[in-house]
Amino acid sequence: MADQEEEDLRMALRMSLQPSPPEAKRSKPRENAGIQSVSSNSEESPEAKNRKLQRELMAAAAEKRMMLAKNAASAKAGRVAVAVAVPEPSIPVTKAERSVVAGPVGQKPEAECTREEAKNVTFGEELSSAEADQLFSMVFGSGVSKDILAQWSHQGIRFSSDQETSMGLVQHEGGPCGVLATIQAFVLKYLLFATDEEGKDATSLTSQNMGARRLSRSECVTLGNFASLTEDGKARALVHSMMEILFSCGCKKRATVATLSVINLPVEDRSEGGQKDDIIAKALEGLQIESASDLHKFLRVKTYSSATSAFHGLKSMLPIFQSRMGAILFLISALLSRGLESVQADRDDPSLPLVTAPFGHASQEIVNLLLCGLAVPNVFDGRMDLGGGMFLKGIPTSVEVGFLTLLESLNFCKVGQHLKCPKWPIWVVGSESHYTVLFALDTHVQDENELEERESQIRKAFDAQDQSGGGGFISVEGLHQVLRETNISLPPEKLDHLCSTGFIVWSEFWQVLLELDRSSGGLKDSTGLMGKKVFDLYHFNGIAKSVLNGSQATSGGGSPVQRPRLTKLRVSVPPRWTPEEFMADVVVPSGPGENNSGKDTVIEVTQLEPPQHAPLVDCIRTRWPRAVCNWSGDPPSIV
């Protein structure tokens, strides 16, 4: 019986792929039609019987497919199961691609889909009601305000039209800045450190083939000449960045892309230039994502398993991500690429929404998901064991672009070395209410000298003993373990002083090391000449601000324009261990036998401009302690 049903289903699907047979032309006038119908009821022709059987089988097959799909969706609520759609003509889909993400149980391969079904799933499938409920609750929670929903529904992923900041993504709403800033960091990676060949190659999914080197692409922006970047180059960098992030969320195996059913793709095949924006804006008129039912109604998802198909798919959907729904669609794409159940398993408290109240900011879990592919809530390295089988989850491996935060300078958290020292000199910068981006044009800014390597070694050993949740202190037993691992020999009086309270704070331990000679394992350098570093950093804040058109605008001249803010900073890391010592001349004691009349030798140290301060400087000092920063114009803003 089961074999007969399966055979009937195959027959129905084969028939449905064929054009319907034309009805026989009427050979009799309309008044005789009723007589013909009556006689047909008593004795049907073989052709009529065949058509009737075909319709019955098609109906039965359709009913069976719908029932199986419904059962599969109910049994696997929360898991996105997306059938690979019929490919666009220019994108070959391999057999392996089709098999990576299976459709609902009982769904036939795409070659057996009817033409109407293929038309409906070309750009993805809808979420089940259960999946939509879980997704909306996970992102926004149950008591989200309309203002927050509006913020996330009115932020596209678009480059600045201002020439000086043309490499940057413009942010009009504060809430989605965590998503925008992280994409921006990856975009800068491709703009600054990818060769033209790698930028054009859709198969170069990540920078695994990109050596840590200064490449010719960055030469065009060495002097801040970001206006030389082409629109095509920026678009390629954006698509590569989105693709890399989504595949990272999908464990390097898949990338799920979310789009909207109200937009009839591909837009770029039907229009050019500003017409795309007009077509999409008109299609989005009145559309709001205010509930899970809206996600179920409008959202469509498609999963890719190869870099080539994902690149072309994202490229064709780029106008949608540039629309006002771009930020929320990309966040949903990242969550679905990771898998909703996996996202919840990554988190320490899955009951809280990912978009935080009351201002609708992206949580650290969202930023970490886009940075490392896991929605972990903490920024330290690895996991922190709390005992009793409980632990906190941090960043497990090294990352492409990093993260710094003002909260670390306020002792609210501890950023680990994975995020502080990424592969490329680009960092998302977090404050209490906003995310921005810090970057360098030269990879050598991360090179460590002898003293910095020693400092990193000691700090790593100290952090390994820190069980305070990032508070920056360890036990007496932990201190002795650090001293053994790093070969530090403290004088008894210094050791007793540190251990007098029963716990050791990093800042006090660090001060002791600065006063301890290098021969005893400390960091005191009698010459004061080792460790000096001077380099440039750039800070980008995507929030559009009204500024004068032209940096040399005189009073009464120039007109205000809306543009993001880009600041160049000169960063100096002192050769001695306090900025005050760095600003002064260095006195080197006379050595025996030197013919200098017993006087000390004075070595001139280059005098810098008076150091300037802004909250961003505190963030920079969490990466380069004691750094001194200078800039021209307005101070860099991280809010």
Side-chain angles (χ1 to χ4, degrees):
M1 184 65 182
D3 293 340
Q4 182 62 39
E5 289 180 355
E6 195 67 20
E7 182 61 29
D8 292 344
L9 180 58
R10 292 196 190 99
M11 182 183 296
L13 292 172
R14 285 196 299 269
M15 290 179 177
S16 64
L17 289 171
Q18 301 298 326
S20 301
E23 294 185 4
K25 295 182 179 180
R26 297 182 183 275
S27 58
K28 296 184 180 181
R30 292 289 303 174
E31 56 268 28
N32 295 332
I35 300 175
Q36 183 183 11
S37 299
V38 173
S39 62
S40 297
N41 289 336
S42 59
E43 185 176 355
E44 292 180 312
S45 66
E47 182 180 358
K49 288 182 179 180
N50 186 48
R51 288 199 300 269
K52 181 178 180 181
L53 176 61
Q54 178 182 337
R55 289 193 298 269
E56 291 175 350
L57 289 174
M58 290 178 65
E63 182 178 1
K64 181 176 181 179
R65 287 196 303 273
M66 289 187 292
M67 181 62 69
L68 290 172
K70 181 178 180 181
N71 292 340
S74 300
K76 299 188 178 184
R79 179 183 66 84
V80 180
V82 184
V84 177
V86 174
E88 296 151 2
S90 61
I91 306 174
V93 178
T94 65
K95 180 178 180 181
E97 289 177 52
R98 297 191 183 105
S99 63
V100 169
V101 182
V105 176
Q107 179 174 310
K108 291 297 176 180
E110 60 179 302
E112 297 185 8
C113 291
T114 65
R115 292 181 178 179
E116 186 63 28
E117 289 171 336
K119 179 180 178 181
N120 291 337
V121 301
T122 298
F123 301 106
E125 291 191 349
E126 66 181 24
L127 297 179
S128 69
S129 297
E131 291 166 342
D133 288 340
Q134 184 182 11
L135 178 60
F136 189 87
S137 176
M138 180 187 302
V139 176
F140 295 112
S142 58
V144 62
S145 68
K146 289 188 177 182
D147 289 340
I148 291 177
L149 292 171
Q151 287 178 355
W152 282 87
S153 299
H154 290 82
Q155 178 61 66
I157 305 174
R158 304 184 70 94
F159 284 102
S160 169
S161 58
D162 172 69
Q163 287 191 343
E164 293 183 25
T165 57
S166 61
M167 61 353 122
L169 302 176
V170 183
Q171 300 176 23
H172 299 291
E173 303 291 343
C177 59
V179 173
L180 268 286
T182 310
I183 298 175
Q184 176 72 74
F186 279 90
V187 166
L188 287 168
K189 184 190 86 167
Y190 282 96
L191 288 177
L192 300 178
F193 302 111
T195 63
D196 288 334
E197 289 72 21
E198 288 165 330
K200 292 178 180 178
D201 183 8
T203 62
S204 60
L205 175 60
T206 66
S207 61
Q208 56 189 359
N209 297 321
M210 294 165 54
R213 59 192 183 277
R214 177 86 178 272
L215 300 173
S216 60
R217 179 181 289 264
S218 62
E219 293 176 1
C220 66
V221 293
T222 300
L223 301 177
N225 185 25
F226 296 104
S228 61
L229 298 170
T230 66
E231 293 300 318
D232 182 61
K234 292 189 295 184
R236 279 202 313 270
L238 178 56
V239 173
H240 274 290
S241 300
M242 296 166 67
M243 183 176 67
E244 179 176 350
I245 293 172
L246 295 182
F247 268 96
S248 174
C249 295
C251 300
K252 307 295 176 66
K253 297 178 181 179
R254 62 185 178 275
T256 299
V257 180
T259 185
L260 297 168
S261 62
V262 296
I263 300 176
N264 186 18
L265 289 176
V267 176
E268 66 178 5
D269 291 343
R270 305 183 304 146
S271 58
E272 295 182 359
Q275 293 181 354
K276 301 176 188 177
D277 296 338
D278 295 337
I279 292 172
I280 293 178
K282 185 174 181 180
L284 294 178
E285 286 182 358
L287 186 147
Q288 298 293 336
I289 302 297
E290 297 182 343
S291 65
S293 61
D294 292 331
L295 292 179
H296 175 65
K297 181 178 180 181
F298 298 115
L299 197 66
R300 298 294 180 268
V301 291
K302 181 179 178 181
T303 296
Y304 300 93
S305 58
S306 76
T308 301
S309 59
F311 180 86
H312 290 290
L314 281 167
K315 184 179 179 182
S316 68
M317 297 180 189
L318 194 57
I320 299 178
F321 287 104
Q322 292 172 333
S323 76
R324 66 175 177 86
M325 298 294 292
I328 183 63
L329 286 176
F330 188 77
L331 173 59
I332 291 173
S333 299
L335 293 171
L336 296 179
S337 296
R338 175 63 180 150
L340 302 187
E341 296 298 338
S342 296
V343 169
Q344 294 294 70
D346 292 339
R347 309 172 66 194
D348 285 342
D349 188 354
S351 65
L352 298 176
L354 291 170
V355 172
T356 62
F359 302 112
H361 297 138
S363 65
Q364 189 65 48
E365 294 156 311
I366 289 178
V367 175
N368 286 349
L369 174 65
L370 303 184
L371 287 175
C372 73
L374 301 175
V376 293
N378 303 295
V379 291
F380 50 72
D381 291 343
R383 301 196 306 182
M384 182 175 296
D385 191 352
L386 302 180
M390 298 180 63
F391 54 86
L392 300 176
K393 288 165 277 191
I395 308 299
T397 59
S398 59
V399 294
E400 295 289 311
V401 298
F403 179 78
L404 302 174
T405 176
L406 182 66
L407 299 181
E408 181 176 13
S409 69
L410 302 174
N411 291 323
F412 285 113
C413 66
K414 176 67 178 71
V415 179
Q417 293 302 302
H418 290 326
L419 291 177
K420 278 187 180 175
C421 303
K423 183 173 183 179
W424 305 100
I426 307 168
W427 296 265
V428 176
V429 176
S431 67
E432 304 97 323
S433 59
H434 190 43
Y435 292 98
T436 54
V437 180
L438 183 73
F439 63 98
L441 306 181
D442 192 342
T443 59
H444 295 305
V445 302
Q446 295 210 94
D447 294 347
E448 289 187 333
N449 56 42
E450 179 184 358
L451 295 182
E452 287 175 325
E453 290 178 355
R454 178 60 174 162
E455 177 185 350
S456 297
Q457 177 191 15
I458 298 172
R459 185 68 203 241
K460 184 177 180 179
F462 186 94
D463 290 343
Q465 301 298 322
D466 185 356
Q467 300 298 316
S468 64
F473 59 88
I474 60 177
S475 64
V476 173
E477 293 78 7
L479 175 63
H480 286 287
Q481 180 64 27
V482 171
L483 298 179
R484 286 192 295 269
E485 291 180 0
T486 56
N487 296 318
I488 296 174
S489 178
L490 288 180
E493 64 275 11
K494 294 287 186 182
L495 183 61
D496 292 341
H497 175 71
L498 284 175
C499 299
S500 61
T501 60
F503 60 89
I504 294 85
V505 180
W506 166 256
S507 59
E508 295 180 0
F509 180 50
W510 177 248
Q511 190 59 43
V512 170
L513 294 179
L514 295 180
E515 299 169 358
L516 183 67
D517 193 81
R518 294 176 62 193
S519 61
S520 299
L523 296 168
K524 185 176 181 179
D525 176 26
S526 58
T527 67
L529 300 177
M530 298 185 65
K532 179 180 178 181
K533 295 177 66 175
V534 179
F535 52 89
D536 291 332
L537 293 177
Y538 289 82
H539 179 255
F540 177 76
N541 187 339
I543 289 289
K545 180 183 179 182
S546 181
V547 297
L548 285 180
N549 187 10
S551 58
Q552 303 298 324
T554 59
S555 59
S559 57
V561 295
Q562 291 286 326
R563 72 172 196 181
R565 288 156 285 177
L566 180 66
T567 305
K568 181 180 179 180
L569 301 95
R570 171 56 59 96
V571 180
S572 303
V573 180
R576 296 294 294 263
W577 294 114
T578 66
E580 290 75 16
E581 291 174 327
F582 176 52
M583 301 304 296
D585 291 337
V586 177
V587 178
V588 180
S590 301
E594 295 181 1
N595 186 15
N596 53 13
S597 302
K599 296 183 179 180
D600 292 335
T601 302
V602 178
I603 300 176
E604 293 293 332
V605 177
T606 304
Q607 294 291 320
L608 298 176
E609 298 179 9
Q612 296 169 280
H613 184 266
L616 176 63
V617 177
D618 294 329
C619 296
I620 293 174
R621 285 176 176 169
T622 64
R623 172 62 180 85
W624 292 279
R626 304 163 304 281
V628 176
C629 299
N630 298 89
W631 57 84
S632 299
D634 294 336
S637 173
I638 59 176
V639 297

Tab-separated table of all heavy atoms in Angstrom, residues 79-84 93-103 247 250 252-256 303-306:
chain	number	residue	atom	x	y	z
A	79	ARG	N	14.229	25.068	14.801
A	79	ARG	CA	15.333	24.779	13.891
A	79	ARG	C	14.941	25.216	12.501
A	79	ARG	O	13.912	24.819	11.986
A	79	ARG	CB	15.644	23.274	13.882
A	79	ARG	CG	16.786	22.920	12.930
A	79	ARG	CD	16.995	21.419	12.902
A	79	ARG	NE	15.856	20.731	12.317
A	79	ARG	CZ	15.688	20.562	11.008
A	79	ARG	NH1	16.558	21.093	10.163
A	79	ARG	NH2	14.645	19.917	10.535
A	80	VAL	N	15.762	26.026	11.898
A	80	VAL	CA	15.455	26.520	10.568
A	80	VAL	C	15.881	25.471	9.556
A	80	VAL	O	17.063	25.158	9.440
A	80	VAL	CB	16.198	27.840	10.290
A	80	VAL	CG1	15.869	28.346	8.904
A	80	VAL	CG2	15.817	28.871	11.329
A	81	ALA	N	14.944	24.927	8.826
A	81	ALA	CA	15.232	23.949	7.797
A	81	ALA	C	14.837	24.562	6.468
A	81	ALA	O	13.661	24.689	6.165
A	81	ALA	CB	14.453	22.655	8.044
A	82	VAL	N	15.817	24.937	5.685
A	82	VAL	CA	15.544	25.702	4.485
A	82	VAL	C	15.954	24.893	3.270
A	82	VAL	O	17.084	24.420	3.185
A	82	VAL	CB	16.331	27.029	4.506
A	82	VAL	CG1	15.980	27.865	3.298
A	82	VAL	CG2	16.022	27.793	5.780
A	83	ALA	N	15.075	24.737	2.331
A	83	ALA	CA	15.396	24.052	1.098
A	83	ALA	C	16.221	24.964	0.217
A	83	ALA	O	15.959	26.145	0.123
A	83	ALA	CB	14.117	23.643	0.372
A	84	VAL	N	17.229	24.410	-0.431
A	84	VAL	CA	18.009	25.205	-1.358
A	84	VAL	C	17.151	25.505	-2.562
A	84	VAL	O	16.598	24.613	-3.186
A	84	VAL	CB	19.284	24.452	-1.780
A	84	VAL	CG1	20.071	25.256	-2.803
A	84	VAL	CG2	20.141	24.171	-0.558
A	93	VAL	N	24.584	25.272	-8.830
A	93	VAL	CA	24.376	24.674	-7.523
A	93	VAL	C	24.772	23.217	-7.603
A	93	VAL	O	24.217	22.456	-8.395
A	93	VAL	CB	22.903	24.797	-7.078
A	93	VAL	CG1	22.712	24.123	-5.738
A	93	VAL	CG2	22.508	26.266	-6.990
A	94	THR	N	25.747	22.827	-6.817
A	94	THR	CA	26.255	21.472	-6.868
A	94	THR	C	25.389	20.535	-6.062
A	94	THR	O	24.561	20.946	-5.256
A	94	THR	CB	27.687	21.426	-6.324
A	94	THR	OG1	27.650	21.776	-4.936
A	94	THR	CG2	28.589	22.417	-7.060
A	95	LYS	N	25.629	19.254	-6.262
A	95	LYS	CA	24.895	18.240	-5.493
A	95	LYS	C	25.196	18.368	-4.011
A	95	LYS	O	24.324	18.192	-3.161
A	95	LYS	CB	25.285	16.856	-5.998
A	95	LYS	CG	24.576	15.714	-5.282
A	95	LYS	CD	24.988	14.388	-5.869
A	95	LYS	CE	24.287	13.236	-5.151
A	95	LYS	NZ	24.694	11.916	-5.706
A	96	ALA	N	26.443	18.709	-3.681
A	96	ALA	CA	26.809	18.868	-2.270
A	96	ALA	C	26.058	20.017	-1.634
A	96	ALA	O	25.660	19.952	-0.480
A	96	ALA	CB	28.315	19.088	-2.144
A	97	GLU	N	25.860	21.102	-2.392
A	97	GLU	CA	25.140	22.238	-1.843
A	97	GLU	C	23.720	21.861	-1.483
A	97	GLU	O	23.183	22.278	-0.469
A	97	GLU	CB	25.116	23.386	-2.850
A	97	GLU	CG	26.449	24.065	-3.061
A	97	GLU	CD	26.333	25.127	-4.127
A	97	GLU	OE1	25.438	25.971	-4.013
A	97	GLU	OE2	27.129	25.086	-5.071
A	98	ARG	N	23.089	21.055	-2.331
A	98	ARG	CA	21.699	20.698	-2.075
A	98	ARG	C	21.559	19.812	-0.848
A	98	ARG	O	20.547	19.799	-0.179
A	98	ARG	CB	21.112	19.974	-3.290
A	98	ARG	CG	21.052	20.826	-4.554
A	98	ARG	CD	20.218	20.125	-5.618
A	98	ARG	NE	20.209	20.881	-6.852
A	98	ARG	CZ	20.897	20.555	-7.939
A	98	ARG	NH1	21.655	19.473	-7.929
A	98	ARG	NH2	20.833	21.288	-9.033
A	99	SER	N	22.598	19.043	-0.558
A	99	SER	CA	22.474	18.064	0.518
A	99	SER	C	22.838	18.613	1.881
A	99	SER	O	22.566	17.970	2.884
A	99	SER	CB	23.374	16.854	0.217
A	99	SER	OG	24.723	17.261	0.176
A	100	VAL	N	23.483	19.789	1.951
A	100	VAL	CA	23.915	20.301	3.250
A	100	VAL	C	22.746	20.648	4.144
A	100	VAL	O	22.694	20.305	5.305
A	100	VAL	CB	24.836	21.525	3.054
A	100	VAL	CG1	25.061	22.228	4.376
A	100	VAL	CG2	26.169	21.074	2.478
A	101	VAL	N	21.774	21.380	3.609
A	101	VAL	CA	20.610	21.771	4.397
A	101	VAL	C	19.383	21.132	3.788
A	101	VAL	O	18.950	21.504	2.715
A	101	VAL	CB	20.445	23.302	4.436
A	101	VAL	CG1	19.258	23.668	5.296
A	101	VAL	CG2	21.704	23.937	4.977
A	102	ALA	N	18.832	20.175	4.455
A	102	ALA	CA	17.682	19.467	3.929
A	102	ALA	C	16.406	20.216	4.221
A	102	ALA	O	16.306	20.953	5.181
A	102	ALA	CB	17.605	18.066	4.544
A	103	GLY	N	15.412	19.998	3.390
A	103	GLY	CA	14.113	20.608	3.623
A	103	GLY	C	13.337	19.798	4.640
A	103	GLY	O	13.843	18.854	5.248
A	247	PHE	N	29.075	32.913	7.494
A	247	PHE	CA	29.686	31.584	7.504
A	247	PHE	C	30.364	31.303	8.843
A	247	PHE	O	30.403	30.155	9.298
A	247	PHE	CB	30.681	31.430	6.359
A	247	PHE	CG	30.068	30.862	5.111
A	247	PHE	CD1	29.642	31.688	4.094
A	247	PHE	CD2	29.898	29.494	4.956
A	247	PHE	CE1	29.069	31.186	2.943
A	247	PHE	CE2	29.332	28.969	3.816
A	247	PHE	CZ	28.907	29.811	2.799
A	250	GLY	N	27.772	30.150	11.001
A	250	GLY	CA	27.340	28.819	10.587
A	250	GLY	C	28.430	27.779	10.647
A	250	GLY	O	28.395	26.800	9.889
A	252	LYS	N	31.405	27.749	9.560
A	252	LYS	CA	32.120	27.675	8.293
A	252	LYS	C	31.492	26.680	7.312
A	252	LYS	O	32.103	26.327	6.302
A	252	LYS	CB	33.599	27.309	8.517
A	252	LYS	CG	34.342	28.202	9.504
A	252	LYS	CD	34.450	29.617	8.980
A	252	LYS	CE	35.110	30.543	10.000
A	252	LYS	NZ	36.494	30.228	10.260
A	253	LYS	N	30.269	26.248	7.589
A	253	LYS	CA	29.604	25.274	6.734
A	253	LYS	C	28.410	25.837	5.978
A	253	LYS	O	28.037	25.310	4.936
A	253	LYS	CB	29.137	24.074	7.576
A	253	LYS	CG	30.266	23.298	8.232
A	253	LYS	CD	29.715	22.160	9.069
A	253	LYS	CE	30.831	21.382	9.755
A	253	LYS	NZ	30.287	20.285	10.606
A	254	ARG	N	27.785	26.860	6.496
A	254	ARG	CA	26.559	27.364	5.881
A	254	ARG	C	26.385	28.840	6.226
A	254	ARG	O	26.948	29.342	7.194
A	254	ARG	CB	25.342	26.583	6.385
A	254	ARG	CG	25.130	26.726	7.891
A	254	ARG	CD	23.987	25.857	8.405
A	254	ARG	NE	23.850	25.987	9.843
A	254	ARG	CZ	24.537	25.287	10.729
A	254	ARG	NH1	25.416	24.407	10.303
A	254	ARG	NH2	24.354	25.447	12.021
A	255	ALA	N	25.593	29.505	5.414
A	255	ALA	CA	25.211	30.895	5.657
A	255	ALA	C	23.744	31.040	5.294
A	255	ALA	O	23.352	30.774	4.157
A	255	ALA	CB	26.065	31.845	4.828
A	256	THR	N	22.942	31.432	6.258
A	256	THR	CA	21.517	31.634	6.026
A	256	THR	C	21.262	33.126	5.842
A	256	THR	O	21.698	33.938	6.655
A	256	THR	CB	20.687	31.098	7.201
A	256	THR	OG1	20.921	29.687	7.326
A	256	THR	CG2	19.206	31.339	6.976
A	303	THR	N	19.399	29.195	2.644
A	303	THR	CA	20.693	28.776	3.176
A	303	THR	C	21.628	28.367	2.051
A	303	THR	O	21.248	27.646	1.140
A	303	THR	CB	20.514	27.605	4.158
A	303	THR	OG1	19.759	28.059	5.276
A	303	THR	CG2	21.855	27.084	4.648
A	304	TYR	N	22.864	28.864	2.126
A	304	TYR	CA	23.910	28.537	1.153
A	304	TYR	C	24.979	27.688	1.834
A	304	TYR	O	25.260	27.860	3.012
A	304	TYR	CB	24.556	29.814	0.617
A	304	TYR	CG	23.601	30.745	-0.086
A	304	TYR	CD1	22.976	31.769	0.620
A	304	TYR	CD2	23.334	30.619	-1.442
A	304	TYR	CE1	22.103	32.646	-0.011
A	304	TYR	CE2	22.464	31.483	-2.085
A	304	TYR	CZ	21.852	32.497	-1.366
A	304	TYR	OH	20.988	33.355	-1.987
A	305	SER	N	25.587	26.815	1.039
A	305	SER	CA	26.638	25.961	1.593
A	305	SER	C	27.980	26.156	0.903
A	305	SER	O	28.945	25.501	1.259
A	305	SER	CB	26.226	24.489	1.484
A	305	SER	OG	25.976	24.148	0.121
A	306	SER	N	28.049	27.027	-0.078
A	306	SER	CA	29.323	27.301	-0.736
A	306	SER	C	29.534	28.800	-0.802
A	306	SER	O	28.585	29.590	-0.873
A	306	SER	CB	29.350	26.700	-2.144
A	306	SER	OG	28.588	27.482	-3.053
